[in-house]
Amino acid sequence: MARPDKSAAVAELTDKFRSSNAAVLTEYRGLTVAQLKTLRRSLGENAQYAVVKNTLTKIAANEAGITLDDQLFAGPTAVAFVTGDPVESAKGLRDFAKDNPNLIIKGGVLDGKALSADEIKKLADLESREVLLSKLAGAFKGKQSQAASLFQALPTKLVRTVDALRAKQAEQGGAE
């Protein structure tokens, strides 16, 4: 029979897995409390970084319908639960890990799909959602401008062609 405190912890972790867009599992061995505080700040407002027990986290992930590799649960584990833009938090983890080699990104989950550590690093290399959306909007605006120019060029070209034909006919008519 499970202890009530462990059952509550599993329920809380399960809820976090279900309500998060992404979760990144890390090993934090060797980091000081001050470094962990800095890491939490670098993740942004939409992420919670929590030290967790491996067994309880594995049970919670399974209950949330997420299948994670057992190797992710080796050693001391902390999870960054991301409710907003996962790119921002992935960048925060990547940058912090560059400065603090004791932080090891093990893997994670994005929208229910398991990710390897390399995939999380690729996610961190992406631009933020807002930047990607603004680039997309700019591309659409550029294409609309090109289409408008094209549609405007057709009648202009037709008028020039008709004028050239009229001038040619007037020239031929005056020569006879």
Side-chain angles (χ1 to χ4, degrees):
M1 179 128 171
R3 292 190 353 216
D5 58 332
K6 288 188 178 184
S7 296
V10 169
E12 181 182 351
L13 287 171
T14 302
D15 185 48
K16 285 185 179 183
F17 272 114
R18 286 183 179 148
S19 65
S20 299
N21 297 342
V24 181
L25 282 79
T26 63
E27 183 176 322
Y28 64 94
R29 186 187 332 237
L31 294 177
T32 64
V33 173
Q35 288 173 322
L36 287 174
K37 189 175 181 181
T38 304
L39 172 59
R40 284 184 173 100
R41 271 192 246 119
S42 72
L43 293 178
E45 297 175 6
N46 299 323
Q48 292 180 337
Y49 189 74
V51 175
V52 294
K53 292 190 178 282
N54 289 333
T55 307
L56 300 180
T57 306
K58 187 174 181 182
I59 293 169
N62 286 335
E63 286 184 10
I66 299 168
T67 305
L68 295 172
D69 189 13
D70 289 343
Q71 293 176 347
L72 296 177
F73 298 103
T77 303
V79 181
F81 292 102
V82 184
T83 55
D85 184 13
V87 174
E88 179 186 352
S89 297
K91 283 182 183 188
L93 285 167
R94 178 199 60 196
D95 295 343
F96 188 85
K98 282 181 186 176
D99 297 336
N100 300 284
N102 287 336
L103 179 74
I104 299 168
I105 298 172
K106 296 180 184 181
V109 180
L110 177 64
D111 294 328
K113 180 186 175 285
L115 298 176
S116 68
D118 290 335
E119 289 171 323
I120 291 173
K121 288 175 185 170
K122 286 179 186 175
L123 182 66
D125 292 336
L126 289 176
E127 293 174 333
S128 71
R129 182 176 191 270
E130 290 78 20
V131 171
L132 291 174
L133 287 174
S134 65
K135 284 185 175 183
L136 182 64
F140 281 142
K141 184 178 179 185
K143 293 298 179 189
Q144 288 175 343
S145 297
Q146 288 176 345
S149 298
L150 177 67
F151 292 138
Q152 189 176 16
L154 291 175
T156 305
K157 199 171 191 181
L158 177 67
V159 169
R160 287 185 190 151
T161 305
V162 170
D163 281 345
L165 283 173
R166 197 177 293 142
K168 188 174 183 180
Q169 287 177 349
E171 208 176 273
Q172 288 176 351
E176 291 179 13

